[in-house]
Amino acid sequence: MARVCQITGKKPQVGHKVSHANNKTKRRFYPNLQKKRFFVPEEDKWITLKVSTKAIKTINKHGITAVLKEARANGNLVL
């Protein structure tokens, strides 16, 4: 599975690694993804999502049901 957040859609970004001598080489910046289980009371089941830490904070703030509904509307959720 790709390194993509299932809620926010965050993907790796491309940039430069810069040495002390200011040499620049390509590198990738990966999102901070965690595999986390959430309980969805409406469906009465547990789901496992690969989410970024920012998405975990959003779920804690707004609730899993609202976040899942918005992610499905945006087309980010792959379940």
Side-chain angles (χ1 to χ4, degrees):
M1 197 162 154
R3 294 180 183 170
V4 177
C5 176
Q6 290 181 305
I7 299 296
T8 60
K10 286 187 174 202
K11 298 177 182 176
Q13 295 180 333
V14 179
H16 286 102
K17 185 185 295 184
V18 182
S19 70
H20 182 70
N22 208 27
N23 298 330
K24 294 171 185 73
T25 55
K26 286 276 198 172
R27 63 159 289 185
R28 294 182 78 180
F29 292 93
Y30 294 104
N32 187 5
L33 295 181
Q34 309 294 323
K35 203 171 182 184
K36 184 126 173 70
R37 289 176 69 218
F38 297 99
F39 183 74
V40 183
E42 285 73 19
E43 300 175 15
D44 195 36
K45 66 177 184 179
W46 289 89
I47 59 169
T48 302
L49 296 174
K50 200 176 199 183
V51 293
S52 64
T53 51
K54 179 162 183 161
I56 293 173
K57 288 175 73 173
T58 303
I59 290 169
N60 288 339
K61 184 176 181 180
H62 298 293
I64 186 69
T65 307
V67 173
L68 285 176
K69 184 178 177 184
E70 186 179 339
R72 286 185 179 124
N74 293 341
N76 290 336
L77 191 61
V78 181
L79 281 179

